[in-house]
Amino acid sequence: MKITTKELTLTALFAALIVVGAFLKVDIPLPLYTMHFTLQWFFVLLAGFLLGRKLGTLSVVTYIVIGLAGVPVFAAGGGIGYVLRPGFGFLLGFVFAAYLIGLVSDIIKPVTLWQYIIPATIGLVTYYAVGAVYFYLIKNLYVGEAVSFAVVVVQYCLITVLPDFILCVIAAGFAKQLLPIIKKLGNIGVQA
């Protein structure tokens, strides 16, 4: 994949914005694991919308690689050991979500706010699905704490899904306004 300087700059910018979003958080202490509600999701949404599936995904992957390399950019730190944390699955969910938001946006070419909400919602469902499955597997197979999938969904998804959906609507509004500006920069990451 050949990347222009503009594309590389925007990809790095969105990786940095996701880092900032990790520190804009509310900690939710729960019995099995402290959940962090952050603004990372908002910037992942914008990366998918504004940069498209390839560069949006690259920005999220860049963020994750930086964190796994040991830079404390995740909501609870960083380092390779983070992959064994139950919440790491939600970070992986960001990768798939950014890709699908870009892909679905390319397919439906949204114009109205409601059309932007469609890819955002698909991304949200993907993000939570990957996160919940990973959480369940790490808790049961690695940590050795038996937890049902229903408990994972109720305690680690239902609590934050409404605020995250509100972020979907807000990001859809931002994307609707910002996408024409991004296109004027030279079709960076998005279909014409």
Side-chain angles (χ1 to χ4, degrees):
M1 177 167 116
K2 187 175 179 182
I3 299 176
T4 68
T5 304
K6 278 191 225 178
E7 291 172 332
L8 185 61
T9 302
L10 282 173
T11 300
L13 172 66
F14 273 91
L17 287 171
I18 296 168
V19 170
V20 170
F23 295 105
L24 300 173
K25 66 181 177 177
V26 174
D27 293 333
I28 306 168
L30 295 170
L32 297 175
Y33 185 79
T34 298
M35 192 67 157
H36 308 285
F37 177 76
T38 71
L39 287 184
Q40 291 167 295
W41 174 235
F42 176 74
F43 295 114
V44 169
L45 284 157
L46 287 180
F49 279 129
L50 301 178
L51 301 182
R53 64 184 177 253
K54 292 177 185 172
L55 295 178
T57 302
L58 182 59
S59 69
V60 177
V61 169
T62 300
Y63 162 70
I64 291 173
V65 168
I66 290 168
L68 292 178
V71 181
V73 296
F74 300 143
I80 194 69
Y82 214 87
V83 298
L84 299 175
R85 293 177 61 94
F88 183 72
F90 292 99
L91 294 175
L92 289 178
F94 287 163
V95 175
F96 295 102
Y99 181 83
L100 286 174
I101 290 164
L103 176 66
V104 174
S105 294
D106 284 347
I107 293 169
I108 68 172
K109 301 194 184 326
V111 176
T112 68
L113 179 66
W114 293 109
Q115 290 171 328
Y116 277 94
I117 291 173
I118 293 167
T121 303
I122 291 169
L124 180 69
V125 170
T126 303
Y127 152 53
Y128 272 90
V130 171
V133 168
Y134 193 92
F135 190 100
Y136 173 81
L137 292 173
I138 291 293
K139 272 297 198 186
N140 284 283
L141 300 178
Y142 174 72
V143 177
E145 291 180 21
V147 59
S148 72
F149 193 72
V151 167
V152 171
V153 169
V154 169
Q155 289 191 5
Y156 297 95
C157 295
L158 293 183
I159 289 174
T160 56
V161 74
L162 180 58
D164 276 340
F165 181 74
I166 291 169
L167 289 179
C168 287
V169 174
I170 294 169
F174 271 87
K176 184 178 183 307
Q177 298 300 315
L178 293 173
L179 198 55
I181 296 167
I182 295 292
K183 284 184 177 184
K184 284 180 185 176
L185 290 174
N187 284 335
I188 295 171
V190 294
Q191 296 288 326

